[in-house]
Amino acid sequence: MIAYVKGTLEEITEGNAVVEVGGIGYNIRISAGTMNRLPRLHQPVTLYTYTAVREDAFWLYGFLTREELEVFRLLITVNSVGPKGALGILSVMSVSELRFAILAGDVKLLSRAPGIGRKTAERLILDLRDRIPADEAAGSVSLPGASLPGTGGGGAKGEAVEALVALGYGSGDAWKAVNALTDMEEADVETILKAALKQMVSF
C-alpha cells in the first residue's frame, strides 16, 4: 500500500522511528539493525515500507534498503514467523548472514533471534533454502566464524572445503560437493565456493 516514506527523522526509540512527512508523523517499526544505521535526528531519511493491516491495527515496517524489505517479505511467508519475528531476525544478523545461515542449515545461529526457537529455525531453513540463490549468499563470506581460510591444504578446492565446513556442512559432504565440480582446476576459492554451495543445496 505504502511503498516508502520519505521525510525528516524526528524520533527514534527502540523498535520504532517517527518520520515526518508534510506535517504528519508516521510511526514506523524498525529492526535494531536499521535503528543503528539511521541518520541523526532532524535529518532526511527514506524508509522502504511494508504495510500490515489488521482488524484493530495498521502498522508500517520500515527498512533502509529494498533488499532488506524483500528479505522481510520472504521471512513472513514462513509459518510461525510474523512481522515481529522477522524484525527480530534482522535485528541480530545482516541479510548476508541470514542467507548463509539458511543455506548452511545453521539452526543455532537462527535461534539467536528473539522468539525464534529451534523448530521455527528448522522451518525457516526448510521453507527458504530453495528460494535463496546460492550465488547471492556466496558473494561475500561474512557469517561469523565462516571466513575463507587464508591457508590450507588442497589449494583453492581445499580452502573451499574448509569454508563449507565453517558454514556448518559435514566435511564428507563438503568434499563430495567440491570434487563433483569439473573444469575448476584454475578457479579461485570464491568461484568454487559458489558452485559447491549450489551442489550442497541439491544434495
Side-chain angles (χ1 to χ4, degrees):
M1 296 177 65
I2 300 175
Y4 62 87
V5 174
K6 184 177 183 179
T8 303
L9 183 63
E10 292 296 335
E11 184 180 329
I12 304 172
T13 56
E14 186 174 355
N16 193 79
V18 176
V19 180
E20 182 179 333
V21 183
I24 299 174
Y26 291 89
N27 277 307
I28 303 175
R29 293 191 167 188
I30 56 175
S31 69
T34 296
M35 183 175 68
N36 292 335
R37 290 163 25 237
L38 286 172
R40 291 174 295 175
L41 291 179
H42 313 304
Q43 297 297 310
V45 67
T46 299
L47 291 175
Y48 299 96
T49 56
Y50 173 83
T51 306
V53 180
R54 298 180 179 177
E55 291 183 2
D56 59 346
F58 179 98
W59 294 105
L60 287 175
Y61 295 85
F63 308 88
L64 286 170
T65 67
R66 287 191 174 92
E67 181 184 40
E68 289 171 296
L69 173 59
E70 290 309 310
V71 169
F72 175 84
R73 289 179 180 273
L74 196 62
L75 288 170
I76 61 176
T77 65
V78 178
N79 190 32
S80 301
V81 181
K84 183 177 180 180
L87 277 189
I89 292 170
L90 292 172
S91 291
V92 299
M93 66 187 76
S94 68
V95 169
S96 295
E97 290 169 348
L98 173 62
R99 286 173 174 158
F100 269 114
I102 291 171
L103 285 177
D106 195 333
V107 172
K108 184 177 180 181
L109 181 61
L110 290 169
S111 298
R112 286 171 42 198
I116 303 298
R118 182 177 184 84
K119 288 185 177 180
T120 302
E122 291 172 346
R123 172 58 63 181
L124 278 164
I125 293 166
L126 181 64
D127 287 2
L128 300 184
R129 178 175 270 181
D130 292 339
R131 299 170 65 183
I132 296 177
D135 55 352
E136 285 186 10
S140 62
V141 182
S142 57
L143 189 65
S147 58
L148 288 176
T151 60
K157 284 191 173 183
E159 293 185 23
V161 169
E162 292 178 22
L164 287 168
V165 171
L167 284 169
Y169 290 105
S171 58
D173 287 340
W175 274 114
K176 180 181 176 182
V178 170
N179 287 334
L181 303 175
T182 58
D183 301 322
M184 288 266 179
E185 299 305 321
E186 302 299 323
D188 59 20
V189 177
E190 183 177 328
T191 300
I192 295 171
L193 180 57
K194 288 180 181 180
L197 274 170
K198 292 181 181 179
Q199 291 276 351
M200 299 296 288
V201 171
S202 65
F203 282 173

